[in-house]
Every structure is written in C-alpha cells, then in structure tokens.
Amino acid sequence: QNFAQLNTYTQQLNASTQKQFELLRQQLAELDAETKKITTTYQQPITKLDAIHQRLEQLENSTKQLNTNTQQQIQPLREYVTQLNAYTQGFNKNTEKQLEEFKYAIALLQTEMQNLAESLTQTEQRLSQEVAEKVKQPQVKITIPTPAKPQPQNTILHIQPSEAEKTETTQALPPVEITPPTPPTTQIQKSKSLSSLRGHTERVVSVAFHPNSVAPEKRILASGSHDKTIKIWRLDTQENRTLTVSEKVNSIAFSPDGKVLACGHDDKTVKLWDVDTEREICNFIGHKEKVYAVAFSPNGKIIASGSQDKTIKLWSLDEQKEIYTLTGHLDEILCVAFSPNNRLVASGGGERDQTIKIWHLTQDKFLTLKGKSGTLGRIYSICFSPDGTTLASGHQDKIIRFWDVETGREISNITGHNDEVYAVAFSPDGKKLASGSYDGNLKIWQVDTGEELNHITIGEGAIYCVAYSPDGKILATANGDKTVTLVNLESRTTQRYKDIEIEKGFD
C-alpha cells in the first residue's frame, strides 16, 4: 500500500511538473524571440526593454511558485520514505531474530538426530545379539531323572561334553576370605611441598605454564585475575611482571613456542601479548558478549575462543583476523580445548545447553556428547589426553567424566568431589588427572583405575583452574582467595586417602 501511494504521488508530481515546465518553455521561447528582436532591431524604442524586464520578473515569480509547489508535493513523499525505512529496519530485526531461532532449532535437530542414530544402532545390536543367541540355542528336550524313580540308562538323552569343555576347570573354587575395607584416614599436616603466589587483588581465575618451563630456574607461570591484570611469575624468585588490561581477565593461554600470551576478557575481546616485550600485539574483536575461554592450537596458528554469545570463533595469528565461527550450542560457552592433532575443538556449554561438542574442523561437522545420566549440568572445564583419544570434563553435578573422542561415548566417571568441579587437567604423561572444585579441594586421580591418589585442601575459596608444568613436577591452581598455589609433586609421596590442609596464613 505504501508503494502504491508513493507511485500515485510520484505520477501527480510528474504531471504538475510537466505543466509548469511547459509554461516555462513558452515563456523562455517568448523571451528568446524578444531578445532576437532587440538584437536585430536595437533601434526600437527602449520601452520594449521594460516589457522584457516585466517578462523576466514573471519568469522569476513562476519559478518560485514552481519550487514551492514542488516542495509541497515532495514533503509527503519524504514522509512515506521515512516510514518505509522504519518498516524495513523492523523487518530486518525480526528476520535476524528468526534466523537465530532457526539456527538453534537446527542445532537441537542435529542433536536429536544423533541421539536417534545411537538409539537405532543400540537397538539393532541388541536385536542381532538376541537373534544370534536364539540361533545358537539347541532345541533339545532334556529330561532330568529323579532319585526316587531311576530310569533305565537308554531312556535318557545324554549330551556328551566336548573336548574343550572337558579341559575346562571343573574343580570347586577355593573359599575366599573377604576382609572389610579399612575406612579412609585423614592426615592433617603442614607440607613444604605447597607455596603461594600473592599479588592479585581479586580472584585468580586462570593459570598457564610457559611451555619451556622445564628447568627449575626457567619455570614461568602466568596468572589472570578479575583485578584486570595478568601476572607473569618467575617461580624460582617469585618475582612477577604485570600486564594491565581494561577489563576482567577470564582465561589465558600460552602459544606453543611461549612467545605469545592470549587472554579472553569481559569486554568481548581476545588480546594477544608479546611475552618478552609485554606489548599488546593484536586485539581480536568479533564476539557480542564476554569471552570466557581461549585455547591455542598445538601448531600455534589458530586461537579458539568461547563466549557468552553462544559461539566459538577461530582466529588466525598469521592473518590476525577471524576465520570461522562455530554455532550449535544453546547457551554460553564456558570452556574450549584443541586436540593434540589440531583437527578437533571441544567445547562445553552452560546450564541451558548442558552438552559437550567435538567440532571436526576439516569436515565441517560436530559430535554432541551425551552422558549416561542424561543431564550434565554446566561444563566448566574440558581437556584432551596427551594421546588425543580421551576427553575429560568437570561438571556442575560434582562429577568428572571421561569420554571416547572417536565415538563420543562416556567411558567412565569419578564421583569423589563434594562440590562443583571447576577445573580438570591431564598430567603430561596422561596417567593422572588433577581436578579442582568450588569448595577449594584439589584432588589427583589415577586415570585408568579412577583411584584417588591425593587430596589437598587449598583454602576457603574456589579453585577455578589447574595446570601441570611441562615436566609434570609442579601443579598450579588459580584460587578464589586471590592467590596462586604451587604443589611440588616431587617432594610429596603419593598416598591414598590422605588429606593435606594448609593452615590459615600459611605461605
């Protein structure tokens, strides 16, 4: 309707303008004729010049009237164009919202299709197993004799055991003496294997070891805090250098060569710093909400970032720009991790999503991991094992889960924490897993057995991040009490069921 009215006004304006221009042409033609007469017969009386002057005044008045009429007719046209622009902007906003909802619907559909495929596969395997068992069962009717009325031997169908069955052990198993398990003991002690790094004024939420931190005199650790600073520590002297940023730091990560430090911030950016010069190299802008997690690819060419805006972005260090956006989660992204072979990115979602997704970067697809319990809660932390075959995750429901990366199935889980598990990290050899929880407890587990090897009470605040040194001899924790705790694993004996607590004020 707006376009129809606009067309009508345009036609009326054209018709009126044509009439005015026609009158103007006639007057110009008369003026031209008079000018020619003056040029050819300049001897004529000067009175004709007055007539020309009058004609010019009439022409000027006609032009002014034409401008006034044109402005009056153009004004409604401008109003309709303004209305049309407002309608177009509203349409664009609604379309963008519908597209966002459509993306979420597609992600849900993909997850449900994956679940359906797994269910069909399980059903098919179960049916195949049942059919195979029925086919193997011999259709033989066996009559068992009763002691009261023995039957002749030739009336009983005897099934002779095979040679293989004869060779199997037929002796009774020896009696087994079951000893009740000894209740776990708690040992409280002051340990020289623990030390703290102090200097932050707000909670410390992320720690990362420099990849070349092998020799004791070269061990370097970075810590990121909500006090808007990143501190780079020399562990032998406990001296630090401070990088000051504009917003809270949520996550930090060293590049594989240790030359660059990446950090995710509340201001929706990912910043890169030169570790040696302490200068900002690059500031990646693209997320619409806070950046909660950052991770370097093992080859050092790509950074993955997870955000409150429900997306994961991949950034190129060489080109210093965004190269891809991964969408599929239905809530904020709390953690991201690269696989050792550079081909996979794992991500964990918030409470309204409760899924872990493994993104196949070379195949443009993702795998959604579903646990045995059905609900996972928030996924606070994920990490790949050094060989890349297993993924560990820490959850809101106080459980640590292990996943098969290839199939996406839950292998096992550990239920030893009494509060939400905020952090998990594999040891460099992949045999142990460290975990930190909201209640300030650090635990070390044997991966293959799930056995608890160590239990250390760090403090009253939460443990937001744990990290092993490259040689596996030092374990660092980022704490809610504004400190970083260092655990010297070399000077500790690994003992099961032993709790080591730090006395208040111990440094």
Side-chain angles (χ1 to χ4, degrees), residues 405-424:
V405 172
E406 184 176 355
T407 64
R409 298 185 183 278
E410 182 179 340
I411 304 171
S412 60
N413 60 64
I414 297 174
T415 57
H417 278 285
N418 296 322
D419 215 326
E420 300 177 11
V421 181
Y422 275 1
V424 291

Side-chain angles (χ1 to χ4, degrees), residues 23 84 150 182 193 280 399 412 421 454 493 506:
L23 178 61
L84 181 62
T182 305
S193 63
E280 183 179 321
I399 298 176
S412 60
V421 181
N454 268 318
T493 56
F506 177 80

Side-chain angles (χ1 to χ4, degrees), residues 294-312:
V294 293
F296 266 97
S297 63
N299 60 14
K301 296 182 178 180
I302 299 174
I303 295 175
S305 59
S307 169
Q308 190 180 11
D309 64 9
K310 309 171 188 175
T311 68
I312 301 145

Side-chain angles (χ1 to χ4, degrees), residues 316-384:
S316 170
L317 267 71
D318 294 336
E319 301 176 15
Q320 293 194 355
K321 68 176 184 179
E322 177 188 338
I323 56 176
Y324 206 76
T325 299
L326 305 174
T327 58
H329 281 285
L330 305 181
D331 201 1
E332 57 193 3
I333 313 298
L334 301 179
C335 50
V336 293
F338 265 98
S339 65
N341 62 5
N342 295 290
R343 298 178 181 177
L344 306 175
V345 170
S347 57
E351 190 167 7
R352 288 178 295 176
D353 182 82
Q354 299 192 23
T355 66
I356 299 172
K357 296 188 185 297
I358 297 179
W359 307 84
H360 294 256
L361 302 182
T362 58
Q363 302 178 28
D364 195 21
K365 69 175 184 179
F366 65 83
L367 178 66
T368 300
L369 309 188
K370 287 287 188 178
K372 297 176 182 178
S373 60
T375 58
L376 304 179
R378 294 188 187 98
I379 295 91
Y380 292 115
S381 179
I382 52 177
C383 61
F384 282 93

Side-chain angles (χ1 to χ4, degrees), residues 177-196:
E177 181 180 356
I178 300 177
T179 305
T182 305
T185 60
T186 301
Q187 180 179 348
I188 302 175
Q189 57 179 329
K190 298 179 184 178
S191 175
K192 295 182 180 180
S193 63
L194 300 173
S195 61
S196 296

Side-chain angles (χ1 to χ4, degrees), residues 1-20:
Q1 291 175 354
N2 288 337
F3 278 118
Q5 292 177 2
L6 179 63
N7 189 29
T8 302
Y9 272 102
T10 304
Q11 291 177 356
Q12 293 175 356
L13 176 64
N14 289 338
S16 176
T17 305
Q18 288 294 335
K19 291 179 181 179
Q20 296 291 339

Side-chain angles (χ1 to χ4, degrees), residues 197-488:
L197 303 177
R198 302 179 185 275
H200 286 290
T201 57
E202 292 290 340
R203 69 179 66 175
V204 184
V205 295
S206 186
V207 287
F209 274 97
H210 192 284
N212 298 328
S213 298
V214 178
E217 66 276 6
K218 293 184 179 180
R219 285 188 180 130
I220 296 175
L221 178 78
S223 59
S225 169
H226 280 185
D227 63 5
K228 304 179 183 179
T229 67
I230 301 167
K231 292 186 180 294
I232 301 175
W233 306 82
R234 278 192 58 177
L235 299 191
D236 56 344
T237 62
Q238 295 196 0
E239 297 175 350
N240 71 79
R241 297 175 288 153
T242 301
L243 308 177
T244 303
V245 294
S246 58
E247 280 293 340
K248 293 179 180 178
V249 180
N250 296 319
S251 179
I252 59 175
F254 274 107
S255 61
D257 59 7
K259 296 180 179 179
V260 179
L261 184 70
C263 51
H265 298 271
D266 268 9
D267 63 359
K268 313 172 188 177
T269 66
V270 177
K271 292 180 172 60
L272 303 184
W273 297 83
D274 186 296
V275 176
D276 293 332
T277 64
E278 303 177 22
R279 293 182 179 179
E280 183 179 321
I281 302 172
C282 183
N283 185 23
F284 290 129
I285 300 175
H287 281 294
K288 298 178 181 179
E289 298 293 343
K290 300 176 183 178
V291 179
Y292 285 148
V294 293
F296 266 97
S297 63
N299 60 14
K301 296 182 178 180
I302 299 174
I303 295 175
S305 59
S307 169
Q308 190 180 11
D309 64 9
K310 309 171 188 175
T311 68
I312 301 145
K313 290 186 181 293
L314 302 180
W315 312 87
S316 170
L317 267 71
D318 294 336
E319 301 176 15
Q320 293 194 355
K321 68 176 184 179
E322 177 188 338
I323 56 176
Y324 206 76
T325 299
L326 305 174
T327 58
H329 281 285
L330 305 181
D331 201 1
E332 57 193 3
I333 313 298
L334 301 179
C335 50
V336 293
F338 265 98
S339 65
N341 62 5
N342 295 290
R343 298 178 181 177
L344 306 175
V345 170
S347 57
E351 190 167 7
R352 288 178 295 176
D353 182 82
Q354 299 192 23
T355 66
I356 299 172
K357 296 188 185 297
I358 297 179
W359 307 84
H360 294 256
L361 302 182
T362 58
Q363 302 178 28
D364 195 21
K365 69 175 184 179
F366 65 83
L367 178 66
T368 300
L369 309 188
K370 287 287 188 178
K372 297 176 182 178
S373 60
T375 58
L376 304 179
R378 294 188 187 98
I379 295 91
Y380 292 115
S381 179
I382 52 177
C383 61
F384 282 93
S385 60
D387 62 6
T389 60
T390 305
L391 185 75
S393 56
H395 297 260
Q396 182 184 9
D397 61 4
K398 312 173 188 177
I399 298 176
I400 301 168
R401 292 178 170 86
F402 295 94
W403 309 84
D404 185 289
V405 172
E406 184 176 355
T407 64
R409 298 185 183 278
E410 182 179 340
I411 304 171
S412 60
N413 60 64
I414 297 174
T415 57
H417 278 285
N418 296 322
D419 215 326
E420 300 177 11
V421 181
Y422 275 1
V424 291
F426 275 102
S427 61
D429 60 8
K431 296 180 180 180
K432 299 179 181 64
L433 182 86
S435 61
S437 61
Y438 180 75
D439 58 8
N441 285 300
L442 172 68
K443 298 196 176 191
I444 301 176
W445 312 88
Q446 186 72 30
V447 173
D448 54 355
T449 64
E451 178 185 9
E452 181 181 321
L453 303 176
N454 268 318
H455 178 184
I456 308 170
T457 301
I458 296 298
E460 297 179 357
I463 297 176
Y464 291 104
C465 183
V466 295
Y468 275 96
S469 61
D471 58 5
K473 296 178 181 180
I474 302 291
L475 189 62
T477 66
N479 308 324
D481 62 2
K482 312 173 190 177
T483 67
V484 175
T485 299
L486 303 175
V487 182
N488 188 340

